[in-house]
Amino acid sequence: MRKSLLQLALGLLALPSTVFAAFGITSSSGVVTVDSGAGLVIKINSSNGDITSIVYSSKQLQDSSKFTHISSGLGSVTTTTSVSGNYAKVTLKTSTLTQTYVVVNGQNNLYISTYTTAEPSVGELRFIARLSKSALPNGVTAAEVNGGTAIEGSDVFLLNGQTRSKFYSSKRFIEDQVHGVTGSGVGVWMVLPGTAYETSSGGPFMRDINNQGSSQQELYWYMNSGHEQTESFRTGFFGPYALVFNSGSTPSASLDTSFFGSLGVTGYVGSSSRGKVTGSISNVQSGYTVVVGFKNSAQQYWTTASGSSYTSPLMKPGTYTVTLFKGELEVGTGSASVSAGGTTTVNLSSNEYIPNALWSIGNSDGTPKGFLNADKIETMHPSDSRMSSWGPVTYTIGSSSASSWPMAQFISVNNGNKIVWTASSSQIGARTLVIRITSSFASGRPVVTVNSWTSSTPAAPTKIDSRGVTRGTWRGNNQAFTYSIPSGTLIAGKNTFTINVASGSSGDTFLSPNIVYDSIVLY
């Protein structure tokens, strides 16, 4: 008897600690349940497409008051399900959108694709997972707004003496393959593998919301929006992308989604139906990251150059504008025709004019990097107490550093920044001043006074109908303003350059017309 009891106890110890349900899909009472067979169980409302429950490793990760869905919810959908071998697929359809969810047997990932024929009526396309804050309390600190007081619109807050916003969770698209939230022994990650951004808009340096910590833990993928958008929206196939569930460590961005090709997913184009572009790069000023971008009205792609050459990702067939970037500054262009299975060669050369400058402030790279507060602007509002004073400042050529020149200039905050330069007799005469800006708000543009001479007011930049620098981004329509300083203006000795932002619009403090500096060069 004792031996039998011992054998039974040993047998129980040998059993696995967790027994998972079977892989597959079941439907009951308007709810579709998808089980990975490995610890992930997802429930979807078959009437409106909302994900109403996400249980991973026996933990409920879905918020109970607001649900997970595309855009702001689809309203009414036609839902179909299928299981083919190791793949369980749920398809949600409206008249203009098809949302596909795929779970693979034995994997705790929710693979997703979005196909659109028209932009949603809300004016942006996003996937938002509204997750349980108690299960997943750890998001991006700068995007934690719960309990804060709104200080700008309904999306910038003051919390514990710091400014917070969902916009401060953003990363440049070229760097944003994985972002997520975590809790005790659990993590949920948005993974954007390969060319997931190919139908989005804005190019490699666009950035958008990834997270907001409110009463829910909100995890986003923004496919397009009007948030400092520089391009028209695209429609078509977005993805594949995935929600990855694990114990909390950051997962790899390398997810194999090639199985989409065998599942009849609307809009998916596999690798065998794509081509690529390769070529050499020359004459780019050294010391900068070189990026090559590709775009047409339907797609966009990018790659970082390796030395003096580049190879694109696999791209859909079509004709593309090819852009050479030094940092974020466009310095060359080309054209490429891509065919399925083909490789096109396009050699690129920088056409940037680099003058023999008398002096310069900052580097011409399409960013305000190195300027005052540029190291903080991505994760806090310009009014934040952690920011250095915006000025106005007086910058002395030869002794001041770029870090003392403000990265942005606002009419109502720090207009009238000055540059003092002591010139020799050989340095005066007719000269050219170039002010590069990365973005402009409310038609702001620089007007320059040199000693007693004042430039004319330049034409207004192309307007982007969005707040920019207060939302944590400097990326806009890079523009150079050139001023011909007439002979007799500069003197041997002390010269004062005063820069003011001009605009026909007005606004308070940091929402007054403004510009973001890239560089200032005199030659």
Side-chain angles (χ1 to χ4, degrees):
M1 182 68 177
R2 290 181 179 177
K3 183 177 180 181
S4 297
L5 289 172
L6 179 60
Q7 288 174 333
L8 177 61
L10 290 173
L12 290 171
L13 288 172
L15 289 174
S17 59
T18 303
V19 178
F20 299 121
F23 164 75
I25 296 177
T26 58
S27 297
S28 177
S29 303
V31 176
V32 174
T33 301
V34 188
D35 196 314
S36 72
L40 175 66
V41 182
I42 293 172
K43 295 182 183 295
I44 302 170
N45 182 315
S46 60
S47 297
N48 62 22
D50 284 356
I51 295 175
T52 58
S53 174
I54 303 172
V55 174
Y56 168 69
S57 193
S58 302
K59 296 178 180 179
Q60 177 58 260
L61 304 182
Q62 174 62 51
D63 182 71
S64 60
S65 62
K66 293 184 177 181
F67 300 123
T68 292
H69 45 223
I70 192 74
S71 293
S72 296
L74 296 175
S76 178
V77 299
T78 299
T79 301
T80 58
T81 66
S82 65
V83 177
S84 176
N86 287 321
Y87 305 103
K89 182 176 73 168
V90 180
T91 304
L92 314 172
K93 284 190 176 183
T94 72
S95 60
T96 60
L97 187 147
T98 301
Q99 184 78 352
T100 303
Y101 297 119
V102 179
V103 170
V104 180
N105 188 5
Q107 293 186 21
N108 291 322
N109 303 332
L110 177 63
Y111 295 92
I112 313 170
S113 71
T114 303
Y115 179 81
T116 66
T117 58
E119 184 70 13
S121 59
V122 294
E124 60 184 24
L125 184 63
R126 65 181 184 179
F127 180 85
I128 175 171
R130 290 190 168 98
L131 304 171
S132 166
K133 191 69 170 294
S134 59
L136 296 155
N138 307 315
V140 177
T141 300
E144 175 57 61
V145 303
N146 197 32
T149 302
I151 62 168
E152 184 179 297
S154 58
D155 50 31
V156 182
F157 298 84
L158 187 66
L159 178 65
N160 298 327
Q162 296 181 355
T163 53
R164 304 285 183 85
S165 175
K166 57 188 177 182
F167 290 100
Y168 304 151
S169 68
S170 69
K171 295 192 290 186
R172 301 189 310 168
F173 285 178
I174 194 171
E175 298 163 335
D176 189 18
Q177 286 78 52
V178 180
H179 56 268
V181 295
T182 63
S184 177
V186 63
V188 183
W189 307 89
M190 190 72 72
V191 178
L192 310 168
T195 56
Y197 276 110
E198 68 183 354
T199 316
S200 296
S201 300
F205 313 119
M206 174 69 182
R207 58 200 309 147
D208 220 324
I209 300 163
N210 284 343
N211 171 234
Q212 177 173 254
S214 59
S215 54
Q216 299 84 37
Q217 189 67 275
E218 300 168 4
L219 182 61
Y220 295 85
W221 183 39
Y222 262 85
M223 287 159 257
N224 64 43
S225 77
H227 302 152
E228 195 75 352
Q229 183 58 256
T230 59
E231 294 183 336
S232 298
F233 293 156
R234 298 177 172 93
T235 56
F237 183 86
F238 296 83
Y241 54 109
L243 283 179
V244 172
F245 301 85
N246 65 15
S247 61
S249 57
T250 304
S252 168
S254 299
L255 283 180
D256 180 8
T257 59
S258 60
F259 59 83
F260 268 66
S262 64
L263 299 180
V265 176
T266 301
Y268 178 78
V269 176
S271 59
S272 63
S273 298
R274 296 169 177 258
K276 62 183 178 181
V277 182
T278 188
S280 64
I281 292 170
S282 59
N283 298 323
V284 179
Q285 189 177 14
S286 63
Y288 297 89
T289 299
V290 176
V291 172
V292 180
F294 312 84
K295 68 177 181 179
N296 58 25
S297 61
Q299 284 91 221
Q300 61 172 7
Y301 305 93
W302 46 77
T303 187
T304 301
S306 176
S308 59
S309 65
Y310 72 93
T311 300
S312 75
L314 289 173
M315 300 159 57
K316 292 180 182 178
T319 299
Y320 294 85
T321 298
V322 185
T323 304
L324 178 64
F325 294 97
K326 182 191 84 174
E328 296 187 12
L329 181 66
E330 178 182 322
V331 294
T333 59
S335 179
S337 294
V338 175
S339 59
T343 299
T344 301
T345 299
V346 177
N347 297 323
L348 298 169
S349 179
S350 172
N351 57 20
E352 181 187 14
Y353 173 62
I354 302 176
N356 184 17
L358 290 169
W359 52 259
S360 62
I361 305 174
N363 299 309
S364 299
D365 63 357
T367 81
K369 289 179 180 177
F371 285 139
L372 181 70
N373 290 325
D375 59 332
K376 305 180 185 72
I377 201 64
E378 295 169 274
T379 58
M380 61 187 80
H381 191 269
S383 66
D384 198 289
S385 62
R386 293 168 292 173
M387 290 279 184
S388 299
S389 171
W390 287 95
V393 305
T394 298
Y395 184 101
T396 302
I397 299 298
S399 60
S400 297
S401 63
S403 61
S404 65
W405 184 263
M407 57 88 65
Q409 185 165 323
F410 309 83
I411 280 183
S412 297
V413 176
N414 61 340
N415 225 17
N417 286 298
K418 297 182 185 298
I419 302 167
V420 174
W421 174 49
T422 301
S424 66
S425 58
S426 63
Q427 294 173 318
I428 61 175
R431 291 293 178 183
T432 300
L433 182 74
V434 178
I435 299 176
R436 286 191 175 275
I437 65 170
T438 68
S439 65
S440 164
F441 176 69
S443 300
R445 62 272 201 193
V447 173
V448 178
T449 296
V450 183
N451 296 335
S452 60
W453 172 84
T454 300
S455 72
S456 59
T457 301
T462 301
K463 186 175 181 179
I464 299 175
D465 190 19
S466 171
R467 288 170 286 154
V469 71
T470 63
R471 284 178 162 179
T473 183
W474 59 68
R475 181 69 182 172
N477 294 311
N478 285 334
Q479 188 166 346
F481 295 89
T482 301
Y483 307 85
S484 297
I485 301 172
S487 180
T489 301
L490 295 168
I491 62 171
K494 181 180 177 180
N495 297 272
T496 301
F497 297 67
T498 304
I499 301 175
N500 284 290
V501 175
S503 174
S505 301
S506 60
D508 295 329
T509 58
F510 296 102
L511 288 179
S512 62
N514 60 69
I515 59 175
V516 176
Y517 285 103
D518 175 3
S519 63
I520 306 171
V521 178
L522 181 74
Y523 64 94

